Amino acid sequence: EDKVVQSPLSLVVHEGDTVTLNCSYEVTNFRSLLWYKQEKKAPTFLFMLTSSGIEKKSGRLSSILDKKELFSILNITATQTGDSAIYLCAVSAGQNFVFGPGTRLSVLP
Amino acid sequence: NAGVTQTPKFRILKIGQSMTLQCTQDMNHNYMYWYRQDPGMGLKLIYYSVGAGITDKGEVPNGYNVSRSTTEDFPLRLELAAPSQTSVYFCASSYLSFADTQYFGPGTRLTVL
């Protein structure tokens, strides 16, 4: 059975801190790994990763994939209160798309 | 471009009632998906479609049906609603395949009492 695990499930930090969110997976026929940010409603796309070792970067957010060890990390530097959200990791595997449970990040002022 | 739109935003059903959740996308995407998200959980795939006239089951299809008569529309039908179907339902679409970025609608919050 395809599985995606995220850790931690919940995290509370102060503004300016750096955080690392983890996503590990066990799937057959891996195609891509995606990170989404979910605030109050629909998930919004952050990154799509298909190759190991290539960092994707967008402002203070960055992500990298390790296909040998089957995990990805999402880094957020200099966190702001607007980063408070649930961060979802999802893996496209064959004709399936599996989401992890998400990491709930709370950034305190 | 409206992207992915869903109606209704909220709905309360009684046990045994039926309803259809509407989903429309205007991006000419081939793939469309229905997910449900229970509190504190990730999204689970209910059904997906790879193009007009083609649908297939996801991880949790029981109690639901779908159809895809056009590229734009992908309605989700709930027959004989049960309390276990209380959830937030998201429709999504992607251009070419499961591996592509999925764009999500705003969601429908359904409560079955």
Side-chain angles (χ1 to χ4, degrees):
Chain A
E1 184 185 336
D2 294 334
K3 187 166 68 172
V4 175
V5 176
Q6 291 185 248
S7 64
L9 293 180
S10 182
L11 187 57
V12 181
V13 300
H14 286 92
E15 270 192 318
D17 288 349
T18 292
V19 298
T20 298
L21 310 183
N22 304 292
C23 175
S24 62
Y25 60 91
E26 289 178 34
V27 301
T28 51
N29 195 16
F30 173 90
R31 296 172 74 176
S32 62
L33 184 144
L34 294 88
W35 285 97
Y36 288 87
K37 178 181 181 182
Q38 185 175 27
E39 295 176 88
K40 290 188 178 160
K41 289 207 171 176
T44 54
F45 171 76
L46 294 174
F47 298 111
M48 182 167 75
L49 304 156
T50 55
S51 301
S52 277
I54 299 173
E55 186 184 48
K56 293 272 181 104
K57 203 167 167 62
S58 175
R60 296 176 294 101
L61 278 67
S62 64
S63 184
I64 197 160
L65 173 67
D66 185 329
K67 288 168 74 173
K68 184 178 174 190
E69 300 297 329
L70 308 182
F71 78 90
S72 172
I73 59 171
L74 175 69
N75 279 321
I76 309 175
T77 59
T79 51
Q80 302 170 356
T81 53
D83 295 326
S84 295
I86 297 172
Y87 290 84
L88 296 168
C89 173
V91 173
S92 167
Q95 294 291 64
N96 196 8
F97 205 77
V98 184
F99 278 81
T103 293
R104 181 179 292 277
L105 174 65
S106 300
V107 182
L108 304 178
Chain B
N1 258 4
V4 180
T5 57
Q6 290 182 238
T7 56
K9 288 191 170 67
F10 306 94
R11 184 72 186 267
I12 298 174
L13 284 182
K14 292 183 180 176
I15 294 172
Q17 288 185 320
S18 301
M19 76 163 294
T20 299
L21 281 65
Q22 301 292 343
C23 175
T24 300
Q25 54 93 7
D26 63 359
M27 297 176 282
N28 203 31
H29 285 174
N30 293 310
Y31 280 62
M32 294 187 76
Y33 315 83
W34 274 106
Y35 294 93
R36 60 177 287 173
Q37 185 176 33
D38 298 328
M41 308 286 285
L43 283 74
K44 291 192 181 294
L45 184 63
I46 305 171
Y47 269 95
Y48 67 94
S49 168
V50 304
I54 307 169
T55 63
D56 208 345
K57 295 176 182 178
E59 187 183 353
V60 290
N62 291 343
Y64 307 94
N65 273 303
V66 293
S67 59
R68 183 104 181 263
S69 56
T70 66
T71 300
E72 294 79 19
D73 300 307
F74 190 42
L76 177 73
R77 177 86 179 155
L78 278 74
E79 305 281 2
L80 299 175
S84 61
Q85 293 178 304
T86 294
S87 191
V88 179
Y89 291 84
F90 289 103
C91 178
S93 70
S94 63
Y95 182 43
L96 279 180
S97 74
F98 267 93
D100 289 338
T101 304
Q102 295 187 15
Y103 296 89
F104 286 80
T108 294
R109 184 176 294 276
L110 176 68
T111 302
V112 182
L113 301 174

